[in-house]
Amino acid sequence: MFGRRQLITGAAALAASRFIAAAQAAPTNRAPRLTHDPFALGVASGEPASDGLVLWTRAVGLTEDVRLGYEIASDENFRAIVRSGGIDAPAGRGGAAHLEVRGLPPGRPYFYRFHLGDAVSRVGRAATVAANPERLRLALTSCQHWEHGWFSAYRDMIEQNVDAVLQVGDYIYEKSFGSGPNVRAFGAPDPLTLDDYRARHALYRTDPDLAAAHAAMPFIVALDDHEVENDYAGVHGGVTVDPAAFLRRRTAAWQAYFEHMPLRPSAWRSGGSLQLFRRFRWGRLATVHMLDTRQYRSVQACSDEKRGGQVVRDCDAVADPGATMLGARQEAWLDDGLARERGIWSLVAQQTLFSRLVLPQGPDARWSDMWDGYEAARHRALGSLGRPTVRNAVVLGGDVHSFWLNNVLADFGDPRSKIVASEVVTSCLASRNGPAALFDGARSRNPHIRYHDNAHAGYALLDVVPERIDVDLRAVASLDEPAARCFSLERRSIEAGRPGFA
């Protein structure tokens, strides 16, 4: 008899093998007869490095494998083309193309476009990372619900001339939720199949501000839960009870996510998984350690009767040393990377609130889907952040639909404990704010929380220089107005050598 884990692993491997076989099919060299714009979903760049990046598009509405042409130029009029060629866009991968470009000079802007027959994509702009930059501007974003608001914050990112966008999860939402008026509708049931998730991603790419942002700036991405289903944990569904049914849903969702993100082709693994924890370096100025807190995590503590995240009390399992948010391999990868850190700033990007959050329900109450539900795992991560090679650690997160600036303590049980790192948590880019029943009065119960706002959506703008990081919490004036502007809700700085916020 097959065990549960064998059944799950086997199903994932089968789905992945079909996906890989589709990519290996020989594409036709002839251009198909086009009756629509195959590049309606736009273009994107990602995985920025000093010698290259990844360029993406998806040829939609095709039933056969095709080969796309591409051009990369040093000018937006494409008079000085530095690279050109072809890239496969197999129908079995939804027509997605992931072009990994290497061997380019550092610190240069480039323009790119794709071709299919007479059709030409919009022009995208991207840049290689400078060899030793003196400054870096990042946008931290999370949680964009199609129905709850317009994505106008992306227009502000473009205006702010952001070097890269850190999208730390909930890029799409699989379901409707919450009371209140919506600005638009999904127009379809919750996705379950590959075609369903492809359609949901494609719908998102029709938002003009999101499409423009992908064309203007590189995205560094990692998924959270709503790209599949709410509060799932590794192989454990948050909603879907049957393990095999959940695995089918997860595999479909992950494949659709990969097909729509500017990830390296190698990010999709033969076992049906995604390689999403990785590093990005801006010379000696900063390192971004992008983590994945969904794929490898243990099931939430004390979730026997109710699945997913919840307030738990008197739950000894939150301190289980065997529980993990990252999995053993990723924990070792993070520790090793921080032990070898050479950047002035160590930016650890992950999906949710890292610091302790004492809740109104009592000092022993915890929300089980955050790091509070994985106390031993957080303690191990704190040990890695405290490595002597780490000069200035900053934890970045999202998920909780509100802004937070926190002092990360070596021991959250002692308010006088050493500050190990600073924490910046962005609000939702477009969604309803976090639950007041959990977050109201947070600062009065948690002295390490230096700023909290649960009334605005937006993103966090980070200006990184050797001496400090300036944090600008950018709030959207209105989610109901497509032309709404962003404004500075709060500005704080993190000084090099002095972790935390005043």
Side-chain angles (χ1 to χ4, degrees):
M1 295 292 290
F2 285 99
R4 177 172 179 261
R5 186 168 294 275
Q6 289 174 297
L7 177 65
I8 289 173
T9 303
L14 178 60
S17 66
R18 291 172 177 169
F19 179 61
I20 291 169
Q24 294 171 342
T28 179
N29 288 321
R30 62 180 177 82
R33 183 186 180 113
L34 300 176
T35 59
H36 61 280
D37 178 9
F39 300 114
L41 302 187
V43 299
S45 69
E47 310 295 288
S50 60
D51 67 337
L53 33 74
V54 170
L55 305 179
W56 170 94
T57 192
R58 180 186 164 207
V60 295
L62 305 177
T63 58
E64 58 185 313
D65 301 335
V66 296
R67 188 167 180 83
L68 308 178
Y70 69 85
E71 296 171 293
I72 304 172
S74 58
D75 68 304
E76 57 186 328
N77 295 317
F78 288 83
R79 293 192 180 96
I81 295 176
V82 298
R83 294 282 180 91
S84 63
I87 177 74
D88 295 345
R93 288 190 176 183
H98 298 79
L99 175 64
E100 188 166 8
V101 184
R102 288 291 176 261
L104 298 175
R108 304 280 184 86
Y110 293 96
F111 300 86
Y112 64 94
R113 62 190 178 188
F114 295 89
H115 302 262
L116 180 62
D118 295 331
V120 183
S121 75
R122 74 184 295 167
V123 174
R125 182 191 183 279
T128 51
V129 174
N132 192 26
E134 296 181 355
R135 60 180 59 247
L136 168 65
R137 174 166 279 193
L138 299 172
L140 174 66
T141 181
S142 167
C143 304
Q144 48 194 40
H145 199 294
W146 175 267
E147 296 181 325
H148 292 179
W150 300 101
F151 296 167
S152 56
Y154 281 116
R155 190 167 59 254
D156 190 70
M157 294 181 202
I158 297 172
E159 293 172 357
Q160 295 294 335
N161 198 25
V162 165
D163 293 308
V165 178
L166 304 180
Q167 212 290 334
V168 293
D170 294 344
Y171 182 96
I172 67 165
Y173 276 76
E174 86 292 8
K175 67 173 186 174
S176 304
F177 68 86
S179 59
N182 293 329
V183 301
R184 49 191 173 181
F186 287 134
D190 294 356
L192 296 174
T193 67
L194 176 57
D195 285 342
D196 294 343
Y197 280 103
R198 282 173 174 166
R200 184 60 51 90
H201 277 278
L203 177 67
Y204 267 65
R205 289 303 180 87
T206 64
D207 182 274
D209 291 318
L210 178 57
H214 273 297
M217 304 170 289
F219 274 56
I220 297 172
V221 301
L223 52 73
D224 194 21
D225 54 342
H226 285 289
E227 289 89 350
V228 181
E229 68 177 33
N230 186 43
D231 285 357
Y232 83 93
V235 298
H236 306 276
V239 177
T240 306
V241 177
D242 178 67
F246 169 69
L247 185 77
R248 289 193 295 271
R249 185 179 192 185
R250 191 190 72 169
T251 302
W254 282 1
Q255 178 175 336
Y257 181 85
F258 171 76
E259 289 175 351
H260 289 83
M261 293 297 127
L263 292 162
R264 292 185 179 91
S266 59
W268 181 263
R269 297 303 176 92
S270 59
S273 63
L274 280 167
Q275 179 62 47
L276 294 177
F277 61 88
R278 59 225 194 270
R279 288 188 185 89
F280 302 88
R281 302 188 191 278
W282 280 265
R284 293 192 174 274
L285 177 62
T287 305
V288 170
H289 307 260
M290 178 61 85
L291 304 184
D292 174 356
T293 63
R294 276 293 159 190
Q295 188 171 175
Y296 313 102
R297 74 156 71 185
S298 308
V299 70
Q300 294 90 346
C302 298
S303 60
D304 296 337
E305 297 180 3
K306 180 183 176 183
R307 305 173 73 83
Q310 59 189 297
V311 176
V312 295
R313 303 187 65 178
D314 300 320
C315 176
D316 293 338
V318 298
D320 180 3
T324 180
M325 283 282 271
L326 305 177
R329 187 167 67 94
Q330 187 177 187
E331 282 189 13
W333 172 89
L334 176 62
D335 186 66
D336 180 70
L338 292 173
R340 299 169 183 264
E341 182 64 273
R342 60 178 184 265
I344 297 172
W345 295 96
S346 302
L347 308 178
V348 179
Q350 46 84 55
Q351 281 62 61
T352 190
L353 185 72
F354 182 80
S355 295
R356 178 77 174 96
L357 181 61
V358 177
L359 301 174
Q361 291 82 355
D364 67 328
R366 296 165 181 258
W367 182 254
S368 64
D369 196 54
M370 300 190 302
W371 284 87
D372 271 350
Y374 302 81
E375 185 63 45
R378 178 167 59 198
H379 183 73
R380 294 191 294 270
L382 284 168
S384 297
L385 291 170
R387 288 275 197 177
T389 47
V390 179
R391 297 157 66 182
N392 300 283
V394 183
V395 179
L396 307 175
D399 178 55
V400 290
H401 295 212
S402 47
F403 289 111
W404 307 73
L405 300 176
N406 304 325
N407 293 343
V408 178
L409 305 181
D411 180 2
F412 285 106
D414 180 5
R416 297 166 296 181
S417 179
K418 177 183 177 182
I419 301 175
V420 176
S422 313
E423 181 176 23
V424 179
V425 179
T426 183
S427 187
C428 48
L429 181 123
S431 188
R432 300 188 177 103
N433 287 110
L438 296 182
F439 296 160
D440 279 1
R443 289 194 63 188
S444 64
R445 296 184 299 273
N446 299 271
H448 55 276
I449 296 174
R450 310 310 297 157
Y451 179 82
H452 172 231
D453 174 85
N454 193 35
H456 295 88
Y459 72 99
L461 184 66
L462 309 176
D463 278 309
V464 185
V465 295
E467 299 79 18
R468 69 186 183 278
I469 295 181
D470 293 325
V471 181
D472 184 357
L473 303 181
R474 307 283 294 170
V476 184
S478 172
L479 291 177
D480 300 332
E481 298 294 332
R485 308 286 296 181
C486 287
F487 63 93
S488 291
L489 179 67
E490 182 73 13
R491 291 180 177 178
R492 299 282 183 95
S493 294
I494 306 167
E495 302 295 331
R498 298 180 60 186
F501 298 94

